[in-house]
Amino acid sequence: MKNSLLLKFDSVSKSYPVYSSILRRVMSRKLVLEKITFELEEGKVLGVLGASGSGKTTIAKLITKIEEEYSGRIILNNINIKNMTHKELAKNVSMVFQNPYSSLNPKHKIRFVLEERINQYAKLYNNKIDNYEIKEHILELLNYMKLPAEILSCYPHQLSGGQKQRIAILCAIILKPKLLILDEPLSSLDISLQAQILNYLIDIKQKYNLTYIFITHDQDLAEYFCDNIIKINKGVICENN
Ligand SMILES: Nc1ncnc2c1ncn2[C@@H]1O[C@H](COP(=O)(O)OP(=O)(O)O)[C@@H](O)[C@H]1O
Ligand SMILES: [Mg+2]
């Protein structure tokens, strides 16, 4: 049985303005994505493979509406994302950023970070969640990621790189997205940790019925983990298989 289509890029091009250094006037535009077209079925892992600067993160920023100016169409669940509010989009798409160090506020304990995220989820769906439910939910998630409960009273700087990245992944899946975008989630970790986190990602994909976009510059990793790969070079898809 063919899975249903979750995401479609239809000839998407994106350019950034180039400013003159003196007058801060737009001098020209730099094309960073050119006519990007691909499809992603529900439940699959799509690899976005390319060297640094090829436009991978820009693709993620377009899907999450961090960048809203582009040409072409991005269709999510049969709806053009231009016609979706940020709130609707947040119910469907969540992202783990490249750097786990910058994605956690150093001033907040991990307990606070996770509680905030659960409250954000409740707000999205206008739900009321009581404190007991929040506690239970957090413990379940920690358990799933093989993180000890003591971690809740730690600050981000007290965590290892792998622990921080797992918390960042938890923050992303608390919103129960359909699509999880992982922007080079392993590149700041050493090899043994990479394998471990990859296994967690495989587990939680199963458990939460997720679809992944896995951004990487590592061909072997992409081939191991992804069902389909688009390879981009300077903003152009050069392979799609
Ligand atoms: N806000 C921006 N303004 C101008 N140029 C940008 C901006 N963000 C990214 N770029 C440029 O767009 C190109 C693609 O960047 P990016 O999508 O981050 O690549 P990747 O994630 O593959 O390393 C790069 O040349 C980068 O310098
Ligand atoms: Mg990037």
Side-chain angles (χ1 to χ4, degrees):
M1 198 182 76
K2 203 171 169 354
N3 289 347
S4 54
L5 197 64
L6 181 62
L7 177 74
K8 186 176 148 96
F9 264 54
D10 181 11
S11 200
V12 173
S13 299
K14 164 76 186 164
S15 61
Y16 285 111
V18 178
Y19 296 95
S20 79
S21 53
I22 307 168
L23 299 169
R24 299 297 294 159
R25 234 191 246 141
V26 178
M27 297 298 286
S28 59
R29 299 194 67 93
K30 177 183 177 185
L31 191 62
V32 294
L33 291 176
E34 192 176 354
K35 296 195 175 130
I36 299 291
T37 296
F38 65 83
E39 292 185 349
L40 171 56
E41 283 176 15
E42 228 168 72
K44 300 280 184 189
V45 182
L46 174 74
V48 176
L49 176 67
S52 172
S54 57
K56 305 182 297 297
T57 297
T58 303
I59 289 179
K61 286 181 176 169
L62 294 183
I63 303 169
T64 48
K65 284 205 188 195
I66 294 170
E67 291 287 345
E68 300 197 71
E69 252 180 57
Y70 57 92
S71 68
R73 297 184 312 152
I74 301 175
I75 312 287
L76 183 75
N77 268 330
N78 292 315
I79 301 172
N80 189 326
I81 64 165
K82 288 214 159 124
N83 301 324
M84 291 173 94
T85 60
H86 282 268
K87 189 172 165 177
E88 277 175 273
L89 194 69
K91 288 180 179 178
N92 287 286
V93 183
S94 200
M95 179 161 169
V96 176
F97 291 90
Q98 201 158 351
N99 185 348
Y101 302 90
S102 63
S103 59
L104 292 174
N105 187 332
K107 282 187 261 174
H108 295 309
K109 286 185 178 171
I110 300 303
R111 180 191 308 282
F112 180 85
V113 173
L114 294 175
E115 281 173 359
E116 277 292 289
R117 203 63 176 177
I118 291 173
N119 284 325
Q120 195 184 339
Y121 171 78
K123 248 189 230 157
L124 272 183
Y125 291 89
N126 302 317
N127 282 349
K128 291 231 178 317
I129 303 185
D130 64 36
N131 286 341
Y132 178 76
E133 260 180 293
I134 292 182
K135 257 187 211 146
E136 286 296 295
H137 190 36
I138 287 179
L139 289 176
E140 184 195 309
L141 287 166
L142 289 181
N143 188 29
Y144 218 79
M145 279 288 188
K146 310 248 172 1
L147 289 165
E150 295 81 65
I151 215 169
L152 294 173
S153 15
C154 295
Y155 289 95
H157 77 266
Q158 295 172 298
L159 272 53
S160 70
Q163 287 175 326
K164 256 183 255 184
Q165 194 56 302
R166 275 180 279 170
I167 293 293
I169 293 168
L170 282 187
C171 283
I173 62 167
I174 281 172
L175 298 182
K176 299 213 173 95
K178 292 200 175 75
L179 174 63
L180 181 59
I181 304 174
L182 300 149
D183 191 357
E184 313 223 22
L186 310 176
S187 57
S188 59
L189 309 172
D190 68 44
I191 293 286
S192 65
L193 261 176
Q194 288 191 3
Q196 227 183 67
I197 303 264
L198 207 56
N199 284 329
Y200 294 132
L201 287 172
I202 291 169
D203 279 358
I204 56 173
K205 178 174 175 296
Q206 194 85 4
K207 173 155 169 127
Y208 293 97
N209 279 324
L210 299 170
T211 304
Y212 284 161
I213 290 184
F214 186 75
I215 295 176
T216 182
H217 58 263
D218 185 329
Q219 176 132 12
D220 291 340
L221 203 57
E223 280 171 7
Y224 171 75
F225 188 53
C226 304
D227 298 302
N228 302 91
I229 299 171
I230 54 172
K231 191 167 179 185
I232 53 175
N233 180 26
K234 296 190 181 126
V236 179
I237 293 185
C238 53
E239 267 175 56
N240 186 346
N241 50 44

